[in-house]
Coordinates of all heavy atoms in Angstrom, one line a residue:
P184 N -0.1 -0.3 18.2 CA 0.5 0.8 19.0 C -0.5 1.8 19.5 O -1.5 2.1 18.8 CB 1.6 1.4 18.0 CG 1.7 0.5 16.9 CD 0.3 -0.2 16.8
E185 N -0.2 2.5 20.6 CA -1.1 3.5 21.1 C -1.0 4.7 20.1 O 0.0 5.2 19.7 CB -0.7 4.0 22.5 CG -1.7 5.0 23.0 CD -1.4 5.3 24.5 OE1 -0.4 4.8 25.0 OE2 -2.1 6.2 25.1
L186 N -2.3 5.3 19.8 CA -2.4 6.4 18.9 C -2.5 7.7 19.8 O -3.3 7.7 20.7 CB -3.6 6.3 18.0 CG -4.0 7.4 17.1 CD1 -2.9 7.5 16.0 CD2 -5.3 7.2 16.4
Y187 N -1.8 8.7 19.4 CA -1.7 9.9 20.2 C -2.4 11.1 19.5 O -3.0 12.0 20.1 CB -0.4 10.3 20.6 CG 0.4 9.3 21.5 CD1 1.3 8.4 21.0 CD2 0.0 9.2 22.9 CE1 1.9 7.5 21.8 CE2 0.6 8.4 23.7 CZ 1.6 7.5 23.1 OH 2.2 6.6 24.0
G188 N -2.3 11.2 18.2 CA -2.9 12.3 17.4 C -2.8 12.1 16.0 O -2.2 11.2 15.4
W189 N -3.3 13.2 15.2 CA -3.1 13.2 13.9 C -3.3 14.6 13.3 O -3.6 15.5 14.0 CB -4.2 12.3 13.2 CG -5.6 12.8 13.3 CD1 -6.3 13.5 12.4 CD2 -6.5 12.6 14.5 NE1 -7.6 13.7 12.9 CE2 -7.7 13.2 14.1 CE3 -6.4 12.0 15.7 CZ2 -8.8 13.2 15.0 CZ3 -7.5 12.0 16.6 CH2 -8.7 12.5 16.2
I190 N -2.9 14.8 12.0 CA -2.9 16.1 11.4 C -3.8 15.9 10.1 O -3.7 14.9 9.4 CB -1.5 16.5 10.9 CG1 -0.6 16.4 12.1 CG2 -1.5 18.0 10.4 CD1 0.9 16.5 11.6
D191 N -4.7 16.9 9.8 CA -5.5 16.8 8.6 C -5.7 18.2 8.1 O -5.5 19.2 8.7 CB -6.8 16.0 8.8 CG -7.7 16.6 9.8 OD1 -7.5 17.9 10.2 OD2 -8.6 15.9 10.4
M192 N -6.3 18.2 6.9 CA -6.7 19.4 6.2 C -7.8 19.1 5.2 O -7.9 17.9 4.8 CB -5.6 20.2 5.6 CG -5.0 19.5 4.4 SD -3.7 20.4 3.6 CE -4.5 21.8 3.0
A193 N -8.5 20.0 4.7 CA -9.5 19.9 3.6 C -8.7 19.8 2.2 O -7.9 20.6 1.9 CB -10.6 20.9 3.6
L194 N -9.0 18.7 1.5 CA -8.4 18.6 0.2 C -9.6 18.2 -0.8 O -10.3 17.2 -0.5 CB -7.3 17.5 0.1 CG -6.6 17.4 -1.1 CD1 -5.7 18.7 -1.4 CD2 -5.5 16.2 -1.0
D195 N -9.8 19.0 -1.8 CA -10.9 18.8 -2.7 C -12.3 18.7 -1.9 O -13.2 17.9 -2.2 CB -10.8 17.5 -3.5 CG -9.6 17.7 -4.5 OD1 -9.2 18.9 -4.8 OD2 -9.2 16.6 -5.2
G196 N -12.3 19.5 -0.8 CA -13.5 19.6 0.0 C -13.7 18.4 1.0 O -14.7 18.4 1.7
E197 N -12.8 17.5 1.1 CA -12.9 16.4 2.0 C -11.7 16.5 3.1 O -10.6 16.8 2.8 CB -12.8 15.0 1.3 CG -13.9 14.7 0.4 CD -13.8 13.3 -0.2 OE1 -13.7 12.4 0.7 OE2 -13.8 13.2 -1.4
P198 N -12.1 16.2 4.4 CA -11.1 16.1 5.4 C -10.0 15.0 5.0 O -10.5 13.9 4.8 CB -11.9 15.7 6.7 CG -13.3 16.2 6.4 CD -13.4 16.0 4.9
T199 N -8.8 15.4 4.9 CA -7.8 14.5 4.4 C -6.6 14.3 5.4 O -6.1 15.4 5.9 CB -7.2 15.0 3.1 OG1 -8.3 15.1 2.1 CG2 -6.2 14.1 2.5
T200 N -6.3 13.0 5.7 CA -5.3 12.8 6.7 C -3.9 13.0 6.1 O -3.5 12.6 5.1 CB -5.3 11.3 7.1 OG1 -6.7 10.9 7.4 CG2 -4.4 11.1 8.4
L201 N -3.1 13.9 6.9 CA -1.7 14.2 6.5 C -0.7 13.5 7.3 O 0.4 13.1 6.7 CB -1.5 15.7 6.7 CG -2.4 16.7 6.0 CD1 -2.1 18.1 6.3 CD2 -2.4 16.5 4.5
G202 N -1.0 13.1 8.5 CA 0.0 12.4 9.3 C -0.7 11.9 10.6 O -1.8 12.4 11.0

Side-chain angles (χ1 to χ4, degrees):
E185 185 174 357
L186 178 68
Y187 297 103
W189 69 96
I190 310 167
D191 63 17
M192 70 177 295
L194 188 63
D195 291 348
E197 295 188 51
T199 299
T200 311
L201 304 177

